[in-house]
Amino acid sequence: LTVSGNFTSQGIDDNADALAITIDSSENVGIGTDSPSSYFSPNLVVHSSANLGGITIRSNATTDTNYLLFADGTSGNERFRGYINYDHNTDAMNLATGASVAITIDSSGNVGIGTSSPSSELHVKSSGTSSDTLTIENSTGNGSWRVKEGGSSNALFQGYNASNSET
């Protein structure tokens, strides 16, 4: 195919009875839809008209790690400030913010916050500061229970009232 001048495509046909891929005038891509600009984030829209539609990220080996990355630059950790990864070797999934893993779900379904190796269904590990590690607050915000770092070898479990005073 040789094209001179401006080229406009209405989409790519997969020889089926419907349009397979659309690239609109704003360079938004639609797979299975001819109107990707209709969506909140239109850059890439994948639409399935059948149950079990989705996107698959396939690994080459059982020891690979695959990523979905959120970048705000092109160098250093700006290339992956936020990400979701799946480690096929350990069957663990991680959610990262600020280029560091914040949450891990291991192969047993254990969830770790602040730890990459949770030892129970929910394992929350303090960052080592004297801040609250876990807060359980009622729906009105006028009472809570907090687990706090209590020093080098202990933790505190404290109740707070509506005035944010210890009870």
Side-chain angles (χ1 to χ4, degrees), residues 2-9:
T2 303
V3 176
S4 59
N6 293 334
F7 174 72
T8 302
S9 171

Side-chain angles (χ1 to χ4, degrees), residues 45-149:
V45 177
V46 178
H47 174 261
S48 173
S49 60
N51 186 22
L52 302 178
I55 298 172
T56 299
I57 300 174
R58 186 187 179 282
S59 178
N60 276 336
T62 59
T63 56
D64 289 349
T65 301
N66 297 108
Y67 292 85
L68 176 60
L69 304 165
F70 302 90
D72 57 18
T74 59
S75 64
N77 67 18
E78 293 173 348
R79 299 173 297 146
F80 53 89
R81 295 297 296 162
Y83 62 84
I84 300 168
N85 80 16
Y86 188 83
D87 182 338
H88 293 271
N89 190 46
T90 61
D91 285 326
M93 181 172 281
N94 296 299
L95 173 66
T97 60
S100 296
V101 172
I103 298 173
T104 297
I105 304 171
D106 71 12
S107 62
S108 300
N110 293 340
V111 176
I113 300 174
T115 179
S116 60
S117 52
S119 60
S120 59
E121 290 182 19
L122 177 61
H123 182 157
V124 180
K125 184 176 181 182
S126 171
S127 62
T129 65
S130 60
S131 64
D132 296 344
T133 301
L134 176 66
T135 300
I136 302 169
E137 186 174 325
N138 68 11
S139 62
T140 61
N142 61 10
S144 64
W145 286 98
R146 298 179 191 166
V147 177
K148 300 178 73 147
E149 183 81 23

